[in-house]
């Protein structure tokens, strides 16, 4: 079964708006990561948040982590057409090396 | 800049053919992975390797094998390709020493395999 489950499955917004994607997971984790995938390409790492962190920023990205609810959110502020892509959360279990990816959120930003 | 290179971007093979997908990374990473990605199913781990000559089954190893003879190279082998193996295959690598990078995984651009 999937460890990370993203919500929503798809999101369509206007350029300049903020985009929020959520991820839920089931077991204890060391860290949670967000990746981006442009259509037909490989995944690119965006940001990592460790289990003892609650919030992290990187440019227009803001990630939160709530370990009590086993959930994370990715916020992209002032979105651009170039942000159109699929976004995946990935979790690495405590004590393990195996990283598990969710099914992803497809974001479409209209110019 | 980190790089994971997959040898073939697009392949078309016939049912029953033996298929090799090659992957090379230049980051001296210990861990290497093969995933397949299908619409609606996300990324599924086929095999991974922690070190040279070591391999571990992932979630969907059936119909696949792997080879890791050198640290930088990880090959995926389809012994007898079938149409249900038509998919996008992603190779990836990561460092075993997580202090700096966590479990950050670096991906190749993917190989689109069509089995006819």
């Amino acid at each position: 079964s999937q460890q990370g489950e993203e919500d929503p499955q798809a999101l369509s917004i206007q350029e300049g708006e903020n985009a929020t994607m959520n991820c839920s997971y089931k077991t204890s984790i060391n860290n949670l990561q967000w990746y981006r995938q442009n259509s037909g390409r490989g995944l690119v790492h965006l940001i990592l948040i460790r289990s003892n962190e609650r919030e992290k920023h990187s440019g227009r990205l803001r990630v939160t982590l709530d370990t009590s609810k086993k959930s994370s959110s990715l916020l992209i502020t002032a979105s651009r057409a170039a942000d159109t892509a699929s976004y995946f959360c990935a979790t690495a279990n405590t004590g393990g090396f195996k990283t598990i990816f969710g099914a992803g959120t497809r974001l479409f930003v209209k110019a | 800049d980190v790089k994971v290179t997959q040898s073939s971007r697009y392949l078309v093979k016939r049912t029953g053919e033996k298929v090799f997908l090659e992957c090379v990374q230049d980051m001296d990473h210990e861990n290497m992975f093969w995933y397949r990605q299908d619409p609606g199913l996300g990324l599924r781990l086929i095999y991974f390797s922690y070190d040279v000559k070591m391999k571990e089954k992932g979630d969907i190893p059936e119909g696949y094998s792997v080879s890791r003879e050198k640290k930088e190279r990880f090959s995926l082998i389809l012994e007898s390709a079938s149409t249900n193996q038509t998919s996008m295959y992603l190779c990836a690598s990561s460092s075993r020493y997580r202090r700096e990078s966590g479990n950050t995984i670096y991906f190749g651009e993917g190989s689109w395999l069509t089995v006819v």
Side-chain angles (χ1 to χ4, degrees):
Chain A
S1 62
Q2 294 284 352
Q3 169 76 321
E5 297 287 347
E6 289 90 346
D7 169 54
Q9 290 186 335
L11 181 61
S12 181
I13 59 174
Q14 290 291 140
E15 207 166 28
E17 293 180 343
N18 295 342
T20 300
M21 290 159 268
N22 303 297
C23 169
S24 60
Y25 58 92
K26 297 189 174 86
T27 63
S28 296
I29 60 171
N30 272 335
N31 61 66
L32 185 143
Q33 304 172 57
W34 285 91
Y35 289 79
R36 166 195 168 123
Q37 184 181 33
N38 288 349
S39 180
R41 310 301 291 271
L43 279 72
V44 176
H45 180 258
L46 291 176
I47 193 166
L48 177 150
I49 186 165
R50 300 185 189 280
S51 58
N52 61 353
E53 297 176 311
R54 292 295 166 258
E55 188 171 312
K56 200 160 183 181
H57 295 257
S58 177
R60 293 184 297 112
L61 305 180
R62 173 178 169 255
V63 170
T64 61
L65 179 64
D66 187 334
T67 53
S68 66
K69 294 181 180 177
K70 291 187 168 57
S71 68
S72 173
S73 67
L74 171 67
L75 169 67
I76 303 174
T77 60
S79 63
R80 305 166 182 167
D83 293 328
T84 294
S86 292
Y87 293 83
F88 295 85
C89 69
T91 53
N93 293 351
T94 302
F97 294 94
K98 193 172 176 182
T99 299
I100 301 174
F101 290 83
T105 292
R106 286 179 289 112
L107 173 66
F108 181 64
V109 181
K110 293 176 279 188
Chain B
D1 204 10
V2 298
K3 197 157 187 182
V4 178
T5 302
Q6 295 183 227
S7 58
S8 302
R9 190 86 171 97
Y10 301 98
L11 306 95
V12 180
K13 298 292 182 180
R14 295 195 179 279
T15 300
E17 272 193 78
K18 190 169 186 176
V19 181
F20 293 87
L21 299 179
E22 307 285 348
C23 175
V24 176
Q25 51 96 3
D26 64 359
M27 296 162 282
D28 201 36
H29 282 165
E30 295 76 22
N31 305 326
M32 294 190 74
F33 309 86
W34 276 105
Y35 292 87
R36 68 176 278 178
Q37 185 176 26
D38 301 287
L41 296 177
L43 276 77
R44 293 181 291 168
L45 182 63
I46 304 172
Y47 267 97
F48 58 101
S49 170
Y50 292 146
D51 204 343
V52 176
K53 297 191 186 296
M54 290 181 60
K55 58 184 178 183
E56 296 285 341
K57 292 180 180 178
D59 299 318
I60 52 164
E62 296 78 21
Y64 303 94
S65 62
V66 290
S67 172
R68 188 147 181 221
E69 296 296 318
K70 294 184 177 182
K71 190 176 185 181
E72 68 272 16
R73 189 178 296 271
F74 194 35
S75 302
L76 180 69
I77 304 153
L78 287 67
E79 293 290 341
S80 178
S82 63
T83 54
N84 63 12
Q85 292 178 310
T86 292
S87 185
M88 179 168 178
Y89 291 87
L90 289 162
C91 177
S93 71
S94 71
S95 172
R96 181 188 301 167
Y97 303 102
R98 296 179 289 169
R99 203 167 298 172
E100 294 82 27
S101 66
N103 291 87
T104 299
I105 297 180
Y106 298 88
F107 284 85
E109 285 295 283
S111 297
W112 290 91
L113 172 66
T114 301
V115 183
V116 297

